[in-house]
């Protein structure tokens, strides 16, 4: 291991002094092994009230049918698909962080992948509930599976993007769950070996008998890498397919070839924003500042600038192509989006998604926790409006002016949306209590190579070029815990 | 005859543990296994663990998924129940690709992970076979089979020399849980 030290020019991934393997375990398992604090309870009470609202609103929909939603003859898809696409998009960052960054050997993913993957699972659950409740007769949801149904051997239509969606979302959910759970095994074993009584028994069942022997670890890494390799195209395919629900139709504003890459970029954009929203709070409440450092936050902010700019270019391209195509329906759809009755939604989307992330070019903003947190929420709002704009503004005025209408959500629409956020946070808060929110084994891997401590040792050893050392020390004011004077002593 | 089954050298640092493995091997002492709280790179070469063939398994499962998806769609949409949609061909291969891709990933992921669980004896509820409870926390443990290697004091000395914080003689194969 030694001799593999990372250049001191790279910022440390674990800050703080006197960090040992045992301390990493203690710090990360603190929230799992101890009673929850006040902040957790307050969050949990609010979130579970939201989840309760969701139960009420969804049950009401099941009982009375989707006539309870604000849908009308023209706008047949509204908040349901908006919510569905929004949640699926949020889910994508988890896989992106755990798979793509693993393939690119980005070690900074190690501290954030676990909670991002958990976020994926919960976001996809929220997305799936929208699909099921929007079916009208949800008890027949199994009809989307390729089963010869009650009418004889009539199969689902394999040419339909909605069937592709069913395959894509269920594969995505189950593969993400598998990836997440397999990665959790060593950490569950850590909890098991520290627990006593009933807790020990429970964690012992879920640890699958993990012992940490060499062969298990070696195969574990091979499995993780291959899972990352297949999850990367999977995550791209899922949102591509979701976008095809729209792109294969004939509605002006929907049948555009830019949708697949644009939806994928938007998904990463909103997903990273949600990761930031959650982790900025979690690191503070759970005291994990040493593991989720400013470097992690800055890196995620950089991804948000990139994907936000891609999304911005996509918006402009759509507009350009609408004009350039010469199709008057397409042209009208876009002029109507920006100046018609839903202009406020369109400009809300533009402000939140295109303009606001550009603020992150400023280092001060990128390194400010408060500004980052506010911007991450702004992006989440913007991305919801993006889906709303695509769906509702395209549907509310189609080819026949006599059928033009407006969409007004009912209390059920609003409650299902707020409720799904409650459900998501309830699940996430419960996750923080029962499983480690940071991959313990993966973070331990960084201690000897890329922690602040390791870098100090390198400087102490005198192996480093003096210029590098000065440069490193000068860059330190960014980190949360490091003081320049401490390095002066070294 | 003593009842000692395993001698465990418990290290606090992975480098020292690697050093310990070298020392034991230099003295022709065979190592039963090593237990660590995190993956240690380079250790498999030292212990002579062969490269994993799980990637081959993954590929086979993936191909099975592709074929299964194609077979299912072809059977349903072309053989069993052709649906005439505006005179379009039933055998529309480009439309089959998304599902074929998804099932490739699905079969590959599940097949590979289940193979992994089977080959490393992991399954829900299996009682954990740990030798030292701290091996999943902050200790790097080398286990030496005490029956095969008779000179216990030599092993003890070598482990301590390499920097072992503690040397334990386990009389049971595995501790706790059983």
């Amino acid at each position: 291991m030694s001799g593999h030290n990372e250049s001191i020019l790279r910022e440390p991934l674990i800050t703080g002094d006197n960090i040992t393997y045992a301390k990493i375990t203690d710090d990360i398992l603190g929230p799992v092994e101890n009673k929850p604090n006040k902040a957790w309870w307050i969050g949990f009470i609010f979130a579970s009230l939201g989840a309760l609202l969701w139960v009420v609103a969804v049950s009401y929909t099941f009982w009375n049918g989707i006539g309870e939603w604000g849908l009308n003859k023209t706008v047949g898809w509204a908040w349901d698909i908006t919510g569905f696409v929004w949640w699926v998009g949020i889910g994508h960052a988890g896989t992106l962080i755990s798979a793509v960054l693993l393939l690119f050997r980005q070690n900074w993913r190690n501290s954030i992948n676990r909670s991002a993957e958990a976020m994926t699972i919960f976001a996809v659950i929220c997305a799936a509930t929208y699909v099921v409740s929007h079916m009208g007769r949800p008890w027949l949801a199994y009809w989307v599976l390729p089963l010869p149904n009650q009418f004889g051997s009539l199969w689902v239509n394999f040419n339909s993007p909605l069937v592709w969606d069913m395959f894509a979302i269920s594969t995505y959910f189950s593969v993400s769950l598998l990836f997440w759970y397999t990665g959790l095994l060593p950490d569950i074993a850590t909890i098991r070996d520290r627990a006593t009584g009933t807790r020990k028994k429970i964690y012992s069942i879920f640890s699958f008998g993990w012992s940490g022997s060499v062969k298990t670890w070696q195969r574990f890494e091979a499995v993780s890498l291959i899972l990352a390799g297949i999850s990367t195209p999977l995550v791209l395919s899922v949102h591509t397919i979701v976008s095809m629900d729209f792109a294969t139709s004939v509605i002006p504003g929907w049948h555009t070839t830019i949708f697949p890459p644009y939806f994928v970029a938007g998904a990463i954009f909103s997903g990273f924003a949600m990761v930031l929203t959650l982790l900025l709070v979690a690191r503070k409440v759970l005291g994990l500042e040493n593991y989720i450092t400013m470097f992690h936050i800055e890196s995620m902010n950089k991804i948000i600038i990139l994907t936000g700019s891609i999304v911005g270019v996509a918006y402009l391209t759509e507009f350009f192509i609408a004009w350039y195509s010469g199709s008057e329906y397409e042209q009208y759809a876009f002029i109507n989006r920006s100046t018609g009755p839903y202009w406020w939604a369109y400009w809300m989307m533009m402000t939140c998604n295109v303009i606001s992330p550009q603020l992150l070019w400023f280092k001060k903003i990128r390194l400010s926790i408060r500004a980052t947190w506010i911007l991450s929420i702004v992006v989440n709002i913007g991305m919801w409006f993006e889906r709303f704009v695509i769906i509702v503004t395209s549907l509310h005025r189609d080819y026949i002016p006599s059928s033009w209408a407006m969409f007004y959500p009912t209390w059920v629409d609003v409650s299902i949306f707020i409720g799904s956020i409650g459900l998501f946070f309830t699940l996430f808060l419960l996750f923080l209590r029962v499983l480690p929110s940071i991959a313990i084994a993966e973070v331990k891997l960084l201690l000897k190579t890329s922690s602040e401590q390791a870098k100090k040792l390198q400087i102490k050893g005198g192996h480093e070029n003096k210029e590098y050392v000065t440069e490193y020390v000068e860059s330190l004011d960014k980190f949360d815990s490091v003081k320049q004077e401490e390095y002066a002593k070294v | 005859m003593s009842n000692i089954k395993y001698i465990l050298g418990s290290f606090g640092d992975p480098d020292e543990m690697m050093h310990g493995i070298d020392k034991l091997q230099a003295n022709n002492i065979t190592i039963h296994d090593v237990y660590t709280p995190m993956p240690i790179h380079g250790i498999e070469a030292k212990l002579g663990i062969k490269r994993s063939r799980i990637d081959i398994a993954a590929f086979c499962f993936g191909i099975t998924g592709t074929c299964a998806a194609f077979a299912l769609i072809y059977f349903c949409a072309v053989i069993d129940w052709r649906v005439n949609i505006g005179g379009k061909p039933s055998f529309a291969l480009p439309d089959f690709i998304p599902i074929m891709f998804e099932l490739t990933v699905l079969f590959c992921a599940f097949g590979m992970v289940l193979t992994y669980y089977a080959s490393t004896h992991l399954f829900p509820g299996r009682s954990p076979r740990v030798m030292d409870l701290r091996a999943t926390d902050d200790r790097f443990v080398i286990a030496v089979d005490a029956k095969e290697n008779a000179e216990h004091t030599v092993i003890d000395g070598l482990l301590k020399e390499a920097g072992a914080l503690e040397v334990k003689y386990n009389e049971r194969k595995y501790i706790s849980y059983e």
Side-chain angles (χ1 to χ4, degrees):
Chain A
M1 298 245 337
S2 54
H4 285 274
N5 276 325
E6 210 173 60
S7 158
I8 54 162
L9 291 180
R10 309 200 107 189
E11 289 148 40
L13 297 175
I14 304 174
T15 54
D17 282 320
N18 306 322
I19 304 236
T20 58
Y21 293 115
K23 187 167 187 299
I24 293 178
T25 320
D26 287 341
D27 285 352
I28 296 173
L29 288 186
V32 180
E33 290 173 338
N34 299 309
K35 286 211 170 105
N37 56 16
K38 221 187 215 168
W40 186 89
W41 274 115
I42 293 171
F44 185 72
I45 288 167
F46 274 106
S48 49
L49 284 177
L52 198 67
L53 184 66
W54 177 83
V55 172
V56 170
V58 169
S59 312
Y60 193 77
T61 305
F62 280 15
W63 196 256
N64 294 316
I66 48 172
E68 293 301 334
W69 295 354
L71 305 176
N72 53 50
K73 65 179 188 288
T74 310
V75 189
W77 270 10
W79 280 36
D80 47 348
I81 301 299
T82 305
F84 163 67
V85 184
W86 189 65
W87 278 120
V88 171
I90 286 171
H92 281 14
T95 322
L96 255 298
I97 289 172
S98 53
V100 180
L101 298 182
L102 177 67
L103 289 182
F104 287 114
R105 309 280 178 198
Q106 293 297 306
N107 282 339
W108 60 270
R109 66 176 269 290
N110 290 16
S111 313
I112 54 173
N113 65 348
R114 174 66 47 72
S115 19
E117 283 166 36
M119 184 192 83
T120 295
I121 311 273
F122 306 144
V124 176
I125 290 175
C126 288
T129 60
Y130 271 108
V131 181
V132 173
S133 56
H134 146 268
M135 282 178 168
R137 287 187 286 167
W139 50 93
L140 299 179
Y142 66 93
W143 280 10
V144 297
L145 299 170
L147 301 166
N149 65 24
Q150 285 89 328
F151 307 117
S153 56
L154 177 68
W155 299 92
V156 290
N157 180 8
F158 290 97
N159 302 325
S160 158
L162 293 172
V163 173
W164 302 349
D165 243 357
M166 196 288 297
F167 276 91
I169 304 286
S170 50
T171 300
Y172 182 53
F173 179 73
S174 46
V175 172
S176 304
L177 193 67
L178 198 69
F179 195 4
W180 181 64
Y181 198 80
T182 307
L184 264 167
L185 287 179
D187 293 354
I188 297 179
T190 307
I191 307 178
R192 171 199 76 198
D193 289 346
R194 288 158 59 98
T196 47
T198 324
R199 268 171 60 85
K200 194 175 193 100
K201 279 191 187 136
I202 295 170
Y203 281 104
S204 164
I205 292 168
F206 289 109
S207 72
F208 287 21
W210 180 274
S211 68
S213 76
V214 175
K215 202 169 164 185
T216 334
W217 274 122
Q218 189 216 8
R219 307 299 198 244
F220 177 84
E221 290 212 293
V223 166
S224 307
L225 203 61
I226 299 171
L227 274 179
I230 57 174
S231 302
T232 305
L234 177 70
V235 75
L236 302 183
S237 82
V238 172
H239 231 62
T240 299
I241 290 175
V242 169
S243 78
M244 283 173 181
D245 293 347
F246 303 99
T248 55
S249 72
V250 293
I251 305 291
W254 279 9
H255 58 282
T256 129
T257 47
I258 202 177
F259 266 9
Y262 149 40
F263 267 49
V264 171
I268 304 169
F269 182 53
S270 61
F272 270 90
M274 187 58 103
V275 172
L276 277 173
T277 312
L278 293 177
L279 285 188
L280 288 176
V281 179
R283 84 194 266 274
K284 189 86 195 153
V285 175
L286 308 180
L288 298 171
E289 282 98 337
N290 278 340
Y291 307 97
I292 301 167
T293 65
M294 284 315 293
F295 176 68
H296 292 95
I297 295 167
E298 198 190 353
S299 304
M300 286 193 268
N301 276 334
K302 284 176 182 168
I303 291 179
I304 287 184
I305 305 175
L306 174 73
T307 48
S309 306
I310 296 175
V311 167
V313 170
Y315 294 161
L316 300 180
T317 310
E318 267 192 326
F319 237 98
F320 172 76
I321 292 295
W323 166 73
Y324 192 64
S325 67
S327 157
E328 55 182 312
Y329 300 108
E330 195 75 13
Q331 287 170 350
Y332 177 75
F334 279 87
I335 290 171
N336 181 49
R337 271 188 195 180
S338 54
T339 59
Y342 284 109
W343 65 271
W344 50 273
Y346 182 82
W347 291 104
M348 186 80 177
M349 161 188 108
M350 284 303 244
T351 319
C352 296
N353 289 353
V354 185
I355 301 164
S356 74
Q358 301 307 321
L359 292 173
L360 294 169
W361 286 105
F362 298 102
K363 203 167 188 172
K364 262 209 172 135
I365 296 180
R366 208 161 64 222
L367 292 176
S368 150
I369 291 178
R370 201 167 294 168
T372 304
W373 196 69
I374 292 169
L375 278 177
S376 74
I377 291 174
V378 167
V379 168
N380 281 320
I381 295 172
M383 285 307 291
W384 188 87
F385 272 102
E386 181 201 295
R387 276 72 197 243
F388 178 80
V389 165
I390 291 174
I391 292 156
V392 176
T393 65
S394 295
L395 283 177
H396 89 126
R397 286 188 179 176
D398 64 0
Y399 295 104
I400 311 166
S402 64
S403 69
W404 287 2
M406 293 292 285
F407 170 77
Y408 300 102
T410 62
W411 71 268
V412 187
D413 282 298
V414 180
S415 308
I416 291 185
F417 177 61
I418 296 172
S420 71
I421 297 174
L423 176 71
F424 175 77
F425 279 97
T426 308
L427 292 171
F428 191 78
L429 286 165
L430 286 175
F431 155 75
L432 292 181
R433 293 281 306 128
V434 293
L435 292 166
S437 51
I438 291 180
I440 306 174
E442 292 186 33
V443 167
K444 281 180 187 162
L445 214 51
L446 304 173
L447 182 65
K448 283 206 88 173
T449 54
S450 6
S451 66
E452 191 193 331
Q453 219 163 284
K455 283 167 199 285
K456 270 190 185 169
L457 273 177
Q458 261 178 286
I459 299 175
K460 239 184 201 168
H463 307 302
E464 293 300 333
N465 188 329
K466 268 204 174 150
E467 268 174 50
Y468 288 170
V469 175
T470 342
E471 202 177 312
Y472 173 63
V473 173
E474 277 170 6
S475 74
L476 288 175
D477 49 0
K478 293 206 268 207
F479 311 139
D480 272 353
S481 64
V482 192
K483 288 192 187 97
Q484 294 216 11
E485 304 91 70
E486 282 180 30
Y487 278 86
K489 283 181 227 158
V490 182
Chain B
M1 179 103 185
S2 72
N3 288 327
I4 301 166
K5 286 209 166 108
Y6 287 101
I7 301 173
L8 306 180
S10 169
F11 294 80
D13 184 288
D15 289 331
E16 283 168 1
M17 180 204 68
M18 293 292 248
H19 190 47
I21 295 174
D22 286 338
K23 282 211 157 204
L24 291 174
Q25 285 179 338
N27 287 281
N28 292 325
I29 292 163
T30 50
I31 292 164
H32 170 71
D33 208 341
V34 176
Y35 301 89
T36 53
M38 63 197 204
I40 306 289
H41 296 153
I43 194 169
E44 57 272 12
K46 274 191 206 290
L47 295 179
I49 289 177
K50 280 191 200 138
R51 186 187 152 273
S52 166
R53 282 171 299 174
I54 207 136
D55 43 0
I56 301 169
F59 180 77
C60 297
F61 284 117
I63 288 289
T64 313
T66 321
C67 298
F70 179 78
L72 173 75
I73 303 173
Y74 191 82
F75 171 75
C76 300
V78 182
I79 299 172
D80 193 48
W81 199 275
R82 278 172 182 267
V83 179
N84 188 342
I85 306 163
K88 288 175 187 161
S90 304
F91 182 41
L93 191 60
D95 290 359
F96 294 2
I97 288 172
I99 295 178
M100 282 163 64
F101 172 78
E102 298 299 331
L103 289 196
T104 306
V105 172
L106 187 73
F107 274 57
C108 175
F110 274 84
M112 176 181 60
V113 172
L114 295 180
T115 309
Y116 168 64
Y117 289 165
S119 68
T120 47
H121 309 288
L122 294 168
F123 56 83
R126 182 177 192 259
S127 76
R129 308 280 160 97
V130 287
M131 293 203 184
D132 187 328
L133 285 179
R134 288 181 69 179
T136 51
D137 185 354
D138 62 338
R139 286 295 166 87
F140 301 80
V141 177
I142 303 178
V144 178
D145 194 322
K147 296 257 152 66
E148 281 175 30
N149 303 283
E151 296 163 336
H152 296 176
T153 43
V154 177
I155 299 170
D156 195 340
L158 287 170
L159 288 170
K160 284 212 165 131
E161 220 176 278
L165 299 175
E166 199 180 355
V167 177
K168 281 192 206 165
Y169 296 107
N170 274 16
E171 292 194 354
R172 291 171 65 189
K173 202 165 177 189
Y174 305 107
I175 58 159
S176 71
Y177 298 111
E178 288 175 344

